[in-house]
Every structure is written in C-alpha cells, then in structure tokens.
C-alpha cells in the first residue's frame, strides 16, 4: 500500500486541483457560489468542465456520469457517457465535455419510482450538478455528484431535500447565533459521521442460498451450537482474508477522498463496521453511497459478498448505520458542545431545549425516516434501540436539565474527575463527563447526537433531512419568541425551562432494552410504532407537511409521493421474500427431504428384512416426524401463495403494505418454523444448502 497522505484524494477533483487549473477569478467565483449559492453560469461552468475533462483524461477516464440517488434505492444510479464527439471530416474524434454537460443531464426518469409524482408517459427528469460535493474518477469514469428532479422540479432523490434542509438550518441557525451576539459566523451547517455495519459471507456459499441472493437475508436457518453468546466477536482480531479485503477497500476510499477511519469486528460472527470521519451532511451522504458500492464491489474481488441488509441472520445481531449528527458554524461553534460548565452555556441549553421539543414533536417521523422492511427485525429486539424514540443525555447534562426542571435554572455542573486505575505506571486521565448508552435511539455523546436507528442499507438522506428540518423549525420558533425581548437573559432562561418542561417526557436515561421501558413510555404517551407500515403515515401528518412546506424542504405532494414509494418498497420486499421462500421450499427443501425420508424408509425395510425384529424405532420416529413437518411445510408455503394473492389484490399502497405485513409476513414465520425444525432433524449432508454454521464462521 502507498503512503496514505500521498494517495488520499488522488482521484478527486478537489479545490486544490481546480485552483491550479482554472483562472483565479473562476475559482474565486466557484468558492463563493459553493458557500452562498447563486446562479452558475456558463462563464464559470465551461472553464471548470474543461479543467475537469483534462484532469480526468489524465487519470485514464473515458466516460463521465452524473451520479445521483433516486429515492429510495440504496445504491446510486449512474449512466455513462463517453467523451467521444462526432467524428470530423477526417474521421477523428475529440474529447467532448462542456459546461452544459457538467451542469445538467437528462436521464429518462420513468423507470425510477416516483410515487405518483409523474406519469410514465411524462418521462423527462433532470440531474443537476451539486457543486458542494467534489467530482472524482472511479473505474475510468468521471463521476459528477448531482441531484435528481422531475421535469416540473419535484425532488426524485434523497439529496435534494437534504440540501434544502441544510439551507433551512443555515438560515435559522444564524438567527439563533445572532440572538447571542455572535458576529463571526457566516454559515451554519450540519455534519454527519455515519458508522456502517455489514456482514461478509463467502461467495461460493452465498451462491447456494437463493434467499441471500434474492432477498439479501436468510429466510431459513437456525443457529449452530455457537452464536454470539460468548461476546467473543466484538473488536476481536480480524481474519487475514478479511483484512486483505479491508486494506483494498480503504485504499480505494482514501483515493476517493473518503476518510475511512475506523474498522473493527462487530458483535455478530461475520459482522464488521467501518466509519469515516464526519463531514458536511450532503458530502457524508455521497460518501456513504460510494462506501456501500465499494463494500459490495470489493467483496466480489475477494470471493466474498457484502450483506448490507439489516438482519441477514435470525438469532444474532443485525446491522445499523449509527448517524452521528451535529450542527456547527464556520467560526468553529458547535451547537451541541456543552463546554466545561454546561449550566452556564445558554446557547447549548437553548439548543438542547429546542432539540428536546423537536424530537418529541417528530418522534414518529424520525422513526419512519430510519425505517425499512429490514429494520423491522431490529427495532425493538434486544440489539437495536427500541421503536420508541427517546433521548439519552448522560449524567452531566442530564443533571443540569434536572436542576432546570426543578428550579427554573441550573446553578452547577457535575464533574466526573479522574480515571485512576491505581497502577503507578499507568497515567491518571480525565474522564468523559458522560457514559454511553447503547440502548437509546438518540444518544448524546459529548459533542453530537447519535441517531442509532438508521437502517444499514438505507440512504442517510431521509434521517438527516428530518433532523435538519425539525431543528430549523424549533430554532425559528425560539428566535420568533426571543428576538427583541427586553431582558434577554431572563427570557432565555424562561424559554429553556418552559420548553424542557413541556417536552421532558422524551428524555430517558435508563435501559431502553428493559421490559419496563415500553410500559413506562406508554404512560408518558410516547408513540411505539413497532412496524414501519404504522410509522410511514408520519410523512403526511399535518404537522410534518406544515413544517416541511414552511422551510421549502418538501411539498405535500413530494411527501405523499415518498410515503407511497416507501409503502410500495415495503410490499415489494416482502413479496420477494415470500416468493423466495416458496421457491426454496418447493424446489430445494421439499425434494431434498423427500429423498431423505425415502432413504430412511428404505433403510428401515432393509434392516427389518436382514434382521426381523431389530430396533428401528429411531428411524421410524424420524420418519414420522419429518413426514409430518414435510406436510406442514407444503401447507405453509401454499398458504403464503394465497396470502400474496390476497395482498396484491388490495387497491392502494397502504392497504397492500398492511396486508403484506399482517397476512404474508406472519405466514412466512409459519413456513420458516416448519423448515427450521426440519433442518434440525435431517442429516447435514442431505440438507440442500449451506447452514448458518457454514455461513457465519468465515475465519
Ligand atoms: P463509536 O465508538 O460510537 O462506534 P466511531 O468512532 O465508530 O464511534 O464513530 C463515531 C463517528 O462520529 C465518526 O464518524 C466521527 O467522525 C463522528 N463524529 C465525531 N464528532 C462529530 C461531530 N461533532 N459531529 C458529527 N459526527 C461526529
Ligand atoms: Mg463505531
């Protein structure tokens, strides 16, 4: 491997590269536009495109593409155009790429989900250059990050609303800073550090599991004698084969300017995590797509398959995408940094009160923004945060909030002191003011909040669009109330107290996995939407529509479209899973089991013939049990067919999704139960596919 510092960003058309290749006034204008927005003209785009083309061709590129993220597809879309021009009279071509090609593309939008925003006959869609995210060369293609919208300007991707929400946070965040006399900040933005969890599985074994191939998760299978109960996986030594894969991955990511930082084994066997250093939310969104793509493609090179699914295996932990999120200004202010004496940091306390209100008011929307069919296997099970949204503040900030709730103001901050292990050769260190709480969906971690619900295969777009928009909303209300008041200090204290007091129910520092918490949460009136299908209507709650429209992030019709697409996606996923199960049951499992019981029956008669009266009770018992389960398997898979037909006969996307959950999904559990019991009774070599034991333990 090359020197990290040398290769980092080598394939990115970053500021330094652009600066060296275009006229100073072009570069200055570009920087100004990236910061303040405004119209990009051909005078700017043409010279930048020329520089980009020259640079990319120097890197061996033959094509360019507008990269975009159509709503809600996990892997980004790209359509490659070569630089080839029309041949001249002598039959020669030139490399062709203009400012127009850079600024706008026009892919046929009709084959992407639109949720009713656009009829198939009205196919035109546009990709528009996002100047805040740098272009790069990957696999000989110049990749230009873009947003994707319809002919009439509606967002058809995950990024447009995120960009809009960042404008909203900028405007309202600056207002809030001004309240406190800040004159140095000129831009407020949101940041994200997404931690990506995933599983790796051997490609040859994967090929033999239609459920992994079609559904991305196992639909049958039971744990071998060892699972994750010994807690011996997390942070354990990474197998050599996997380390070679990670080295390959890291080098690609670094070349693409992605700050791959952390890598480690996760809790379940075969599970890993990688995390970059946090960056501006839209850049983090783009980087996360590149990361997911690289995880998959690099796996193929190493005879592995990367599973991004939230729950590839029953019985061991699933995967999430912990969304570390903060808001900050260009003068270095971090809105979520409490400082040494949080009780004196009025900006932090006001932001915290606002956040508490926003989380409480948008709990179901937050839950919906982090959901998909796969995540329903995690949220609420004892591994991921529950489906109930609550906030963890930790000891120090939690204590300040308690003081405010009790006395109206806080007068002191707890200090945790030193970590002294009593060994003279070990240093004595300062402790963090807060412990961690892995059971909380929304946990304060010292200078950021970690939204731990986000699904591992999902875009981080929706979750961060909601986070930013709800913050703009509550900042706006705080500014409306506090701008121009006579006694600012007293008014701020009062606002903080009243807001925390009104929304304190959402603060919970206890164990989110405990059996008592859902009961306590119900007493507090906190929503607990166990299924994504019940959470999705939050996209069009009155409050949601009002909030998104107020800040021009999404219109009612865009929100309706999103809800519709997500419902269709849910039904689509369950449909694929159901059909895959039926296929596996009929074409793999039943034939293999029939063969096995036939042999068993033959063996009984052979033994009886050879030695009349011999004890064949074990075989007979197995024969009876397995035959009964075989009949159960057949009945359950027939019942799935009936349920699927019923669900698909429903009229609208909401009823279809509900029917898939209530009829099909529940019937899938019946089939799985029968097959998994069979797996425990049939000889290993007779079982028609690799088992959990084969798949999970790669080392
Ligand atoms: P954990 O121990 O929680 O698994 P990791 O190191 O895996 O932590 O990931 C933490 C993530 O949080 C990293 O991406 C890191 O860059 C990010 N992060 C740190 N500070 C901030 C911040 N102020 N805003 C947003 N993200 C941050
Ligand atoms: Mg981590």
């Amino acid at each position: 491997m090359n020197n990290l510092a040398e290769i980092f960003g080598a394939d990115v058309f970053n500021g330094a590269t652009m600066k060296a290749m275009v006229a100073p006034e072009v570069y200055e204008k570009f920087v100004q536009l990236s910061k303040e927005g405004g119209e990009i003209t051909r005078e700017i785009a043409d010279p930048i495109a020329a520089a980009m083309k020259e640079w990319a061709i120097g890197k061996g590129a033959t094509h360019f593409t507008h990269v975009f993220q159509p709503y809600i597809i996990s892997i980004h879309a790209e359509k490659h155009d070569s630089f080839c021009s029309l041949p001249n009279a002598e039959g020669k071509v030139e490399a062709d790429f203009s400012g127009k090609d850079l600024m706008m593309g026009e892919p046929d939008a009709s084959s992407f989900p639109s949720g009713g925003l656009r009829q198939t006959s009205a196919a035109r869609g546009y990709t528009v250059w996002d100047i805040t995210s740098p272009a790069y060369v990957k696999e000989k293609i110049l990749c230009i990050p873009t947003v994707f919208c319809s002919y009439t300007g509606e967002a058809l991707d995950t990024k447009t609303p995120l960009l809009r929400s960042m404008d909203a946070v900028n405007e309202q965040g600056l207002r809030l800073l001004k309240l406190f006399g800040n004159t140095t900040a000129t831009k407020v933005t949101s940041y994200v550090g997404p931690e990506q969890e995933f599983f790796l599985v051997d490609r040859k074994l994967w090929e033999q599991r239609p459920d992994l191939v079609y559904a991305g998760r196992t639909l049958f299978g039971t744990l071998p004698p060892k699972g994750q109960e010994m807690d011996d996986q997390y942070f354990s030594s990474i197998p050599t084969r996997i380390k070679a894969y990670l080295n390959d991955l890291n080098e690609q990511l670094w070349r693409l300017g992605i700050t791959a930082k952390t890598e480690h084994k996760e809790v379940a066997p075969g599970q890993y995590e990688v995390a970059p250093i946090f960056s501006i939310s839209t850049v983090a969104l783009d980087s996360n797509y590149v990361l997911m793509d690289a995880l998959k493609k690099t796996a193929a090179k190493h005879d592995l398959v990367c599973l991004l699914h939230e729950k590839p295996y029953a019985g061991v932990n699933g995967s999430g995408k912990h969304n570390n999120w903060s808001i900050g200004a260009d003068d270095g202010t971090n809105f979520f940094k409490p400082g040494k004496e949080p009780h004196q940091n009025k900006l932090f306390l006001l932001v915290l009160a606002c956040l508490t209100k926003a989380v409480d008011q948008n709990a179901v929307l937050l839950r919906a923004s982090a959901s998909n069919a796969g995540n329903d296997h995690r949220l609420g099970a004892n591994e991921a945060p529950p489906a109930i949204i609550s906030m963890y503040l930790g000891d120090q900030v939690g204590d300040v909030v308690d003081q405010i709730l009790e006395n109206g103001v806080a007068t002191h901050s707890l200090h945790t002191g030193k970590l002294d292990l009593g060994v003279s050769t070990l240093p004595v260190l300062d402790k963090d003011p807060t412990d961690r709480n892995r059971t909380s969906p929304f946990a304060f971690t010292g200078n950021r909040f970690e939204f731990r619900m986000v699904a591992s295969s999902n875009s981080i777009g929706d979750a961060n669009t909601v986070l930013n928009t709800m913050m703009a909303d509550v900042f706006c209300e705080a500014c409306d109330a506090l701008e121009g008041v006579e006694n600012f200090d007293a008014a701020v204290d009062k606002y903080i107290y009243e807001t925390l007091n009104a929304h304190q129910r959402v603060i919970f520092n206890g164990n989110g996995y405990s059996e008592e918490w859902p009961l306590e949460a119900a007493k507090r009136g906190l929503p607990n939407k166990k299924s994504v299908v019940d959470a999705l209507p939050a996209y069009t709650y009155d409050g949601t529509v009002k909030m998104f429209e107020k800040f021009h992030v999404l219109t009612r019709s865009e929100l309706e479209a999103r809800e519709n697409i997500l419902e269709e996606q849910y039904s689509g996923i369950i449909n694929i899973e159901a059909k895959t199960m039926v296929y596996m049951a009929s074409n793999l499992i039943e034939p293999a089991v029939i063969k096995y019981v036939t042999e068993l029956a033959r063996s009984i008669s052979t033994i009886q013939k050879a030695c009349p009266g011999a004890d064949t009770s074990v075989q007979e018992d197995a024969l009876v049990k397995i035959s009964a389960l075989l009949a159960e398997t057949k009945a359950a898979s027939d019942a799935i067919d009936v349920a699927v037909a019923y669900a698909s006969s429903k009229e609208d996307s909401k009823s279809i999704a509900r029917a898939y959950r209530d009829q099909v999904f529940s019937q899938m559990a019946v089939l799985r139960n029968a097959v998994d019991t069979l797996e425990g009774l049939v000889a290993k070599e007779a079982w028609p596919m690799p088992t959990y034991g084969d798949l999970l333990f790669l080392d």
Side-chain angles (χ1 to χ4, degrees):
M1 186 176 306
N2 294 307
N3 180 303
L4 196 166
E6 236 169 69
I7 62 166
F8 187 83
D11 296 337
V12 184
F13 189 74
N14 54 24
T17 310
M18 189 191 297
K19 196 173 175 185
M21 294 183 76
V22 298
E25 58 278 13
V26 172
Y27 180 69
E28 271 161 36
K29 185 71 190 166
F30 174 82
V31 172
Q32 189 208 336
L33 286 169
S34 318
K35 205 171 159 195
E36 294 163 20
E39 198 189 338
I40 306 160
T41 58
R42 288 293 291 269
E43 280 79 64
I44 300 299
D46 279 334
I48 293 177
M52 252 186 211
K53 178 181 74 179
E54 190 189 328
W55 170 82
I57 290 172
K59 298 230 147 251
T62 53
H63 289 70
F64 71 93
T65 183
H66 279 195
V67 181
F68 58 101
Q69 297 115 15
Y71 197 69
I72 187 74
I73 296 165
S74 302
I75 299 298
H76 58 213
E78 46 187 55
K79 168 191 157 225
H80 307 159
D81 279 302
S82 82
F83 290 124
C84 195
S85 69
L86 208 63
N88 63 15
E90 290 156 18
K92 296 257 181 219
V93 295
E94 273 175 40
D96 203 13
F97 181 66
S98 67
K100 188 167 171 289
D101 297 325
L102 170 62
M103 285 200 291
M104 201 171 205
E106 198 235 305
D108 181 339
S110 62
S111 298
F112 295 109
S114 84
L117 271 181
R118 185 185 24 64
Q119 290 154 347
T120 313
S121 55
R124 213 185 274 273
Y126 294 115
T127 51
V128 181
W129 181 28
D130 169 16
I131 63 168
T132 62
S133 194
Y136 52 91
V137 168
K138 206 177 79 161
E139 293 157 10
K140 299 198 172 187
I141 298 155
L142 169 64
C143 301
I144 300 150
T146 59
V147 299
F148 179 47
C149 65
S150 71
Y151 183 65
T152 40
E154 284 118 344
L156 294 176
D157 64 352
T158 65
K159 197 181 189 185
T160 306
L162 181 60
L163 280 162
R164 292 178 186 155
S165 77
M166 291 178 63
D167 278 347
V169 142
N170 175 39
E171 201 177 311
Q172 302 307 324
L174 283 174
R175 264 181 89 190
L176 197 81
L177 286 178
K178 280 210 189 82
L179 271 184
F180 288 85
N182 179 309
T183 53
T184 46
T186 64
K187 174 120 186 163
V188 167
T189 192
S190 65
Y191 298 94
V192 181
E195 302 167 44
Q196 178 74 50
E197 294 178 340
F198 55 94
F199 280 81
L200 291 170
V201 62
D202 186 276
R203 197 163 197 95
K204 298 221 168 45
L205 299 175
W206 173 85
E207 280 166 1
Q208 298 168 50
R209 294 279 316 208
D211 45 2
L212 286 180
V213 173
Y214 300 133
R217 75 173 177 106
T218 54
L219 297 163
F220 301 108
T222 48
L223 277 182
K226 179 175 165 29
Q228 64 185 41
E229 62 278 78
M230 299 302 288
D231 294 330
D232 57 350
Q233 298 292 325
Y234 192 58
F235 282 12
S236 64
S237 168
I238 296 177
T240 313
R241 177 181 178 191
I242 308 298
K243 186 61 185 123
Y245 161 78
L246 290 172
N247 288 347
D248 191 349
L249 177 84
N250 283 328
E251 183 164 343
Q252 293 173 57
L253 295 175
W254 292 332
R255 291 191 70 90
L256 292 169
I258 296 172
T259 52
K261 176 85 177 161
T262 320
E263 61 184 31
H264 62 81
K265 266 214 95 274
E266 260 297 336
V267 169
Q271 191 188 26
Y272 297 84
E273 177 187 299
V274 294
I277 298 174
F278 70 98
S279 57
I280 291 176
S281 303
T282 42
V283 175
L285 172 82
D286 284 343
S287 303
N288 187 248
Y289 271 97
V290 174
L291 169 69
M292 290 196 285
D293 194 45
L295 280 169
K296 285 187 163 278
K297 285 190 179 152
T298 311
K301 283 203 275 175
H302 293 257
D303 275 328
L304 296 164
V305 171
C306 170
L307 306 174
L308 291 173
H309 195 281
E310 290 71 29
K311 192 73 180 177
Y313 305 99
V316 293
N317 272 16
S319 298
K321 184 136 56 189
H322 299 165
N323 189 87
N324 294 271
W325 164 77
S326 67
I327 294 175
D330 56 353
D331 65 350
T333 310
N334 176 350
F335 285 56
F336 296 151
K337 196 163 180 184
K340 288 216 161 16
E341 304 291 343
H343 72 284
Q344 291 171 347
N345 187 343
K346 290 292 157 74
L347 172 66
F348 171 76
L349 294 177
L350 179 60
V351 168
L352 182 70
C354 285
L355 177 61
T356 309
K357 175 179 171 183
V359 172
D360 189 25
Q361 284 176 346
N362 297 286
V364 185
L365 181 62
L366 276 168
R367 194 259 183 255
S369 77
S371 304
N372 60 13
N375 228 11
D376 269 12
H377 301 281
R378 297 174 63 239
L379 304 181
N382 271 7
E383 55 167 75
I388 308 158
I389 295 274
S390 67
M391 279 166 76
Y392 168 80
L393 299 179
D395 294 341
Q396 190 189 48
V397 173
D399 174 69
V400 169
V401 167
D402 287 345
Q403 291 179 53
I404 294 172
L405 288 172
E406 222 160 278
N407 311 315
V409 285
T411 53
H412 62 274
S413 300
L414 294 179
H415 293 283
T416 35
K418 304 281 177 195
L419 183 70
D420 185 351
L421 292 170
V423 178
S424 61
T425 50
L426 288 177
V428 175
L429 299 168
D430 289 329
K431 277 211 293 195
D432 280 306
T434 53
D435 197 355
R436 288 182 178 239
N437 186 328
R438 302 198 82 89
T439 69
S440 175
F442 207 82
F444 181 59
T445 45
N447 63 352
R448 62 189 185 270
F449 277 85
E450 187 177 5
F451 185 30
R452 299 170 54 87
M453 258 187 186
V454 180
S456 55
S457 68
N458 261 12
S459 158
I460 57 168
D462 274 13
N464 289 288
T465 300
V466 171
L467 289 171
N468 291 340
T469 310
M470 72 182 200
M471 284 319 272
D473 190 33
V474 286
F475 283 173
C476 178
E477 281 169 1
C479 292
D480 287 347
L482 293 169
E483 273 166 359
V485 291
E486 250 169 43
N487 185 343
F488 181 68
D489 288 343
V492 169
D493 284 344
K494 185 160 172 275
Y495 195 87
I496 293 170
Y497 165 75
E498 284 175 354
T499 309
L500 284 172
N501 192 45
H503 299 283
Q504 56 173 299
R505 65 176 184 166
V506 80
I507 299 172
F508 177 62
N509 284 331
N511 179 4
Y513 294 172
S514 70
E515 278 170 26
E516 296 82 44
W517 172 229
L519 305 173
E520 162 70 17
K523 264 193 230 150
R524 295 186 186 191
L526 297 176
N528 183 2
K529 305 286 184 198
K530 292 211 175 111
S531 157
V532 51
V533 180
D534 296 328
L536 291 180
Y539 275 92
T540 46
Y541 283 175
D542 284 346
T544 309
V545 176
K546 220 170 118 201
M547 175 173 88
F548 276 112
E549 290 199 329
K550 180 173 177 185
F551 296 97
H552 310 292
V553 174
L554 287 164
T555 61
R556 177 182 286 278
S557 54
E558 286 172 322
L559 285 161
E560 281 167 354
R562 266 145 219 264
E563 186 176 328
N564 180 273
I565 292 171
L566 290 163
E567 281 160 356
E568 283 179 356
Q569 196 212 26
Y570 177 86
S571 303
I573 288 171
I574 306 293
N575 180 262
I576 291 170
E577 291 184 348
K579 286 198 304 200
T580 304
M581 282 185 102
V582 170
Y583 161 72
M584 289 172 78
S586 323
N587 295 50
L588 291 175
I589 295 156
E590 286 163 24
V593 175
I594 289 170
K595 197 167 158 216
Y596 182 69
V597 281
T598 309
E599 274 166 24
L600 208 53
R602 246 186 238 132
S603 111
I604 297 170
S605 58
T606 312
I607 293 167
Q608 288 298 346
K609 214 179 272 168
C611 184
D615 185 355
T616 48
S617 60
V618 172
Q619 294 94 313
E620 280 161 33
D621 187 46
L623 191 56
V624 171
K625 277 195 190 138
I626 293 172
S627 302
L629 282 163
L630 194 58
E632 253 179 59
T633 301
K634 177 78 176 85
S637 84
D638 288 349
I640 289 183
D641 280 336
V642 173
V644 167
Y646 169 79
S648 3
S649 73
K650 293 272 160 193
E651 294 269 290
D652 58 301
S653 61
K654 211 174 282 311
S655 327
I656 296 175
R658 284 206 197 105
Y660 266 102
R661 181 196 56 195
D662 297 337
Q663 311 294 324
V664 183
F665 189 67
S666 50
Q667 196 54 47
M668 283 160 58
V670 178
L671 176 57
R672 178 170 192 148
N673 195 25
V675 170
D676 287 357
T677 317
L678 270 176
E679 190 189 327
L681 296 173
V682 172
K684 168 89 171 85
E685 74 262 19
W687 198 246
M689 59 191 140
T691 62
Y692 269 27
D694 305 324
L695 296 166
L696 278 168
F697 293 93
L698 256 182
D699 330 14

